């Protein structure tokens, strides 16, 4: 699912999105929760990693050029967050808009 499509889903919808994990941080006041954003060609979506999920997948998220994330959507006022349950390196094909065009 694209980030733009994910933003239109109902609260607590389970989903899988892929893209670049950006702006990752673990503020001291967040009690071990890691925050960031997933950026892809259609939109950005906020990411929230609980402490156990961050411990399990932080190397993947920090080192992979692109990631595939499973989680559920949480809406709060105007904010849309993906609470991440699982992360893996994205190894799929590049979408049509990113392929090189033949001459």
């Amino acid at each position: 699912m694209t980030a733009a499509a994910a933003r239109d889903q109902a609260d607590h919808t389970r989903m899988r999105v892929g893209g670049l994990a950006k702006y990752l941080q673990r503020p001291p006041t967040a009690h071990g929760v890691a925050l960031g954003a997933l950026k892809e060609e259609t939109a950005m979506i906020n990411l929230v990693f609980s402490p156990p999920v961050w411990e399990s997948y932080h190397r993947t998220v920090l080192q992979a050029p692109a990631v595939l994330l499973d989680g559920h959507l949480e809406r709060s006022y105007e904010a849309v967050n993906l609470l991440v349950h699982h992360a893996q390196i994205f190894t799929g094909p590049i979408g049509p808009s990113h392929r090189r065009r033949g001459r």
Side-chain angles (χ1 to χ4, degrees):
M1 177 177 305
T2 66
R7 296 176 68 82
D8 294 331
Q9 300 299 310
D11 197 21
H12 301 290
T13 300
R14 290 193 56 92
M15 63 186 57
R16 174 177 282 179
V17 292
L20 305 175
K22 308 289 273 180
Y23 318 116
L24 298 163
Q25 55 185 311
R26 284 181 78 186
T29 56
H31 306 288
V33 172
L35 308 168
L38 184 80
K39 182 178 179 181
E40 49 93 55
E41 64 186 12
T42 65
M44 287 181 67
I45 190 166
N46 297 327
L47 301 176
V48 179
F49 298 86
S50 68
V53 170
W54 183 253
E55 288 304 315
S56 296
Y57 300 110
H58 72 275
R59 285 184 186 87
T60 299
V61 174
L62 292 172
Q63 295 174 0
V67 291
L68 193 58
L69 303 172
D70 292 306
H72 74 272
L73 198 69
E74 181 179 84
R75 293 180 167 281
S76 178
Y77 300 98
E78 296 295 318
V80 179
N81 304 309
L82 179 67
L83 276 65
V84 178
H85 301 266
H86 180 265
Q88 64 189 59
I89 296 172
F90 182 74
T91 58
I94 296 172
S97 63
H98 288 236
R99 288 192 184 124
R100 290 181 62 186
R101 296 201 169 133
R103 296 180 191 218

